[in-house]
Amino acid sequence: MTPSTPAPAPADDAADRLARITWSLIAEPSDPVALLARSLLGPVEALALAREATETELTTRLGGELPADTAEPGAPHQRSRRALARWRTRWAEVDLDAVLEDAERRRIRILTPADPEWPASLGDLQETSPHCLWAQGPGRLDELVASRCAAIVGSRASTPYGEDAATGFGAELAARGGTVVSGGAYGIDAAAHRGALAAPEGATIAVLAGGLDRLYPRGNTELLERIRDRHLVLSEAPPGTAPTRWRFLARNRLIAALGQAVLVVEASWRSGALSTARLADQLSRPVGAVPGPITSAASAGCHRVIRERGAVLVTEPSELLDLLPGGPAAGDGRFAVQDELDLLSPSDRRVLDAVPPRSSLALSRIAGEIGFEPAEVDAALARLSLLGLVETVGDRARRARTSR
């Protein structure tokens, strides 16, 4: 909402809630005209226009300029006319009381910005924030995303390498008491969820593109039921809504907004997971990407987001935790090995390098080899002896048998 736009008049909480639920039922999550109308006028007044206004009245109330939509070209009044037609067609088929009764029977709760459980992070979506959310499970959304919450996403056509990495990242984040947000899909999403479920301390949220009455994909039904029974499944689409490509893409903005950081584990060149990374970047969320073999098409998208969008290269769980607010510094990583050789000064290291590995050498020869004064070599050998790296016998030095 621009600073010059007047805020919509306050509405009764109950009326606002019912209006938001109705918008969820009659408009697509990505419908730009519906989102603009709700943002400018408020859910209640916008809904009244949807029921009664002409295309000219709707266009005028929305400032005469409707948001551009590549899927719906045409002049503003044409887009208004199409918007009113599709809203009213769906509205004629909606039985709001039946929808609410069905949701209650299924123990699906409906969240709006007026509910304490509504997370503040969704406010970053501004005018594209969801009308409402349909949630199922014992977890409270606001608490689950309050701290150490990361979205872990990637390709459905994953490899064993990517699935193993996603499982490890999900398990480690959950073991630290964090929450894994993902989309419940095959491949990387499922692996991240499974990793989180393996840690009793953490939690995971599955954000679905369709209604919660039909868990999708069906091959992940058991996994999604475990998430629902232990934590939370979530959707902005009402029950009865089938998942479609455009709903998956719209769903990605919720995953990006709910996570305090987004990690792309494995993604092909045109993977939908890259849209989540792009949206997270627009929301000022840190974005990380796990590299793969340079010969693997399954990781081409990860390499692309590192190269083109400046994503942080992440190779282990500590680096993911480092992306989260207040997280610990990643440090050197598990492959960084430090020993006494790293503590040597350059001059001592040069003296050590001059000592032969399998024979002894006179102090004077060592000094001549490296261009040091004999006294400097003698002092360095004394320090190296204390570290157990060399042995001196008389005026000769050799490598200690236990040294590298």
Side-chain angles (χ1 to χ4, degrees):
M1 187 180 297
T2 61
S4 59
T5 303
D12 175 77
D13 286 347
D16 183 274
R17 178 180 179 82
L18 289 176
R20 285 180 171 275
I21 296 172
T22 304
W23 274 117
S24 175
L25 294 166
I26 68 173
E28 288 291 328
S30 57
D31 187 328
V33 184
L35 293 171
L36 178 64
R38 187 208 66 198
S39 177
L40 291 179
L41 307 173
V44 175
E45 186 176 352
L47 193 62
L49 283 179
R51 181 190 292 274
E52 302 167 358
T54 65
E55 62 192 67
T56 301
E57 291 171 338
L58 178 61
T59 304
T60 301
R61 291 298 306 276
L62 298 184
E65 290 293 331
L66 272 64
D69 184 358
T70 56
E72 190 178 342
H77 71 277
Q78 293 174 319
R79 296 204 297 276
S80 290
R81 182 172 66 251
R82 287 195 291 265
L84 290 171
R86 63 175 175 264
W87 298 340
R88 290 169 182 174
T89 298
R90 289 190 177 183
W91 207 337
E93 301 172 353
V94 167
D95 184 339
L96 184 57
D97 291 335
V99 170
L100 297 177
E101 290 174 6
D102 181 68
E104 185 176 4
R105 179 175 59 83
R106 296 178 185 275
R107 297 185 179 179
I108 297 174
R109 59 191 184 275
I110 305 171
L111 307 179
T112 72
D115 293 309
E117 194 177 341
W118 187 270
S121 58
L122 290 179
D124 294 341
L125 293 172
Q126 299 181 14
E127 69 274 4
T128 66
S129 64
H131 301 296
C132 64
L133 292 173
W134 306 74
Q136 195 175 27
R140 279 183 58 101
L141 180 58
D142 59 329
E143 295 176 355
L144 290 175
V145 302
S147 63
R148 288 187 179 274
C149 178
I152 301 179
V153 297
S155 175
R156 292 171 176 80
S158 56
T159 68
Y161 161 80
E163 292 176 13
D164 182 67
T167 300
F169 283 113
E172 182 65 21
L173 176 59
R176 301 290 188 94
T179 299
V180 173
V181 179
S182 199
Y186 294 128
I188 298 304
D189 288 13
H193 287 307
R194 290 191 181 99
L197 288 170
E201 298 86 354
T204 186
I205 301 171
V207 186
L208 307 185
L212 300 185
D213 59 325
R214 50 176 86 177
L215 299 178
Y216 182 88
R218 292 190 177 183
N220 281 351
T221 297
E222 182 180 355
L223 172 65
L224 294 172
E225 287 176 345
R226 290 174 60 201
I227 297 172
R228 181 190 63 195
D229 294 341
R230 289 180 53 182
H231 305 298
L232 191 67
V233 292
L234 195 68
S235 179
E236 63 180 323
T241 305
T244 60
R245 175 172 174 76
W246 66 86
R247 289 172 184 147
F248 278 111
L249 293 175
R251 179 275 313 267
N252 288 348
R253 80 192 193 287
L254 302 183
I255 295 176
L258 290 173
Q260 295 171 321
V262 171
L263 178 67
V264 185
V265 174
E266 192 172 54
S268 61
W269 184 259
R270 296 188 183 279
S271 171
L274 299 184
S275 73
T276 307
R278 174 178 55 80
L279 292 164
D281 191 38
Q282 294 173 357
L283 294 172
S284 299
R285 304 290 196 270
V287 177
V290 177
I294 60 173
T295 55
S296 173
S299 291
C302 292
H303 302 156
R304 180 184 183 186
V305 77
I306 292 170
R307 182 178 63 253
E308 297 180 2
R309 305 196 68 89
V312 177
L313 188 147
V314 174
T315 61
E316 54 188 86
S318 63
E319 294 168 352
L320 170 59
L321 294 171
D322 189 38
L323 294 179
L324 299 174
D332 292 327
R334 66 181 184 274
F335 295 112
V337 178
Q338 186 179 66
D339 58 22
E340 61 271 13
L341 299 181
D342 297 310
L343 305 177
L344 298 180
S345 66
S347 58
D348 286 356
R349 184 60 189 253
R350 180 171 293 190
V351 171
L352 178 63
D353 289 343
V355 177
R358 295 184 178 84
S359 60
S360 62
L361 197 64
L363 182 150
S364 58
R365 286 284 304 278
I366 296 174
E369 286 280 344
I370 61 177
F372 280 16
E373 294 293 328
E376 294 174 323
V377 174
D378 188 43
L381 288 173
R383 290 190 291 271
L384 294 171
S385 295
L386 290 174
L387 292 173
L389 297 174
V390 300
E391 297 174 350
T392 57
V393 180
D395 67 342
R396 303 180 70 84
R398 68 182 183 188
R399 293 285 184 101
R401 300 191 181 192
T402 58
S403 70
R404 297 189 176 199

